Amino acid sequence: MVGTVTTPIEVMLADSNPLVLSAMSEIFERDPRFSLVATSATAEGFLGTVMRVPVQVGVLDWNLPVLGAAKLIEVLREQANAPRFVVYGEAAGDVPRLAMQAGAAGFAARSGEVEGLLKACVDVANGKMVFPFIDVRKMQQDPIQSLSRKERAILEALARGMSNRELSRELQISTNTVKFHLSNIYEKLSVKNRTQAIAYFYSSQQSGG
């Protein structure tokens, strides 16, 4: 089978189930399209390895201990040479949508054929997004997703207890600009003040896993 990637795709696998991890490792090692760089049973182990040894594609168990795949993707996607992520999880429920929102490039169902996972990894390495049908309207219903990157940064800083003056210093913008961003955030989240915005932020973190 000829893919558009000529050199083997460097892959790292992370799964909390040792049987699944060992079976997946065997499958990837046998497939000439891939070069298996490392495996891990935890999000922290994955993070530690990827910071030292860059890989192209990371295959993650959605319920990876301790951080969870969503948090791991969030932490790594800010890195310059971050891998592209394929979440390997249960197709039922919200996991594909949550994986997409977290910044994964693909999703493969645990209940599907192994070839589906391998193909998803090849496609993702080639720059494609691979997801089952996702109701995009649901994504738009989560107001946190409507915030810009700067607004999210401001909301996170608020949650850490920063004052407007501290925010303006950290972001190097005037306090008036901070107030402008805050009023936009309040409007998008349908809240009236800083306390409600912080409460909203924490509840969204919990519901997002």
Side-chain angles (χ1 to χ4, degrees), residues 71 74-75 77-78 144 147-163 167 170-171 182 185 189 194 197-198 200-202 204-205:
K71 195 71 190 162
E74 215 172 280
V75 168
R77 70 181 177 186
E78 302 299 329
I144 291 273
L147 300 181
S148 69
R149 181 171 282 209
K150 179 162 272 180
E151 287 166 349
R152 282 190 74 145
I154 288 172
L155 183 57
E156 283 170 19
L158 276 192
R160 295 201 306 270
M162 278 196 173
S163 67
L167 275 169
E170 178 162 296
L171 299 169
L182 288 177
I185 292 167
L189 301 184
R194 174 185 295 256
I198 292 169
Y200 193 104
F201 174 74
Y202 280 123
S204 78
Q205 294 288 295

Side-chain angles (χ1 to χ4, degrees), residues 49-178:
T49 304
V50 163
M51 297 303 259
R52 293 193 317 273
V53 187
V55 295
Q56 288 165 274
V57 177
V59 178
L60 303 178
D61 165 13
W62 181 246
N63 297 312
L64 202 56
V66 171
L67 281 177
K71 195 71 190 162
L72 179 61
I73 294 168
E74 215 172 280
V75 168
L76 276 169
R77 70 181 177 186
E78 302 299 329
Q79 301 296 323
N81 57 352
R84 293 172 68 78
F85 293 103
V86 174
V87 168
Y88 191 47
E90 303 303 333
D94 270 354
V95 175
R97 176 174 67 83
L98 292 170
M100 182 187 271
Q101 283 179 197
F107 178 88
R110 281 180 182 264
S111 53
E113 295 291 319
V114 169
E115 185 50 47
L117 173 61
L118 297 174
K119 185 177 185 319
C121 290
V122 171
D123 287 346
V124 161
N126 287 322
K128 295 178 186 164
M129 297 279 282
V130 184
F131 283 92
F133 172 75
I134 289 172
D135 188 345
V136 178
R137 285 168 307 178
K138 278 191 177 174
M139 287 177 77
Q140 290 163 345
Q141 279 163 14
D142 180 355
I144 291 273
Q145 300 305 319
S146 69
L147 300 181
S148 69
R149 181 171 282 209
K150 179 162 272 180
E151 287 166 349
R152 282 190 74 145
I154 288 172
L155 183 57
E156 283 170 19
L158 276 192
R160 295 201 306 270
M162 278 196 173
S163 67
N164 286 7
R165 189 168 291 145
E166 287 167 333
L167 275 169
S168 79
R169 269 208 306 272
E170 178 162 296
L171 299 169
Q172 297 180 324
I173 55 179
S174 72
T175 47
N176 280 342
T177 308
V178 169

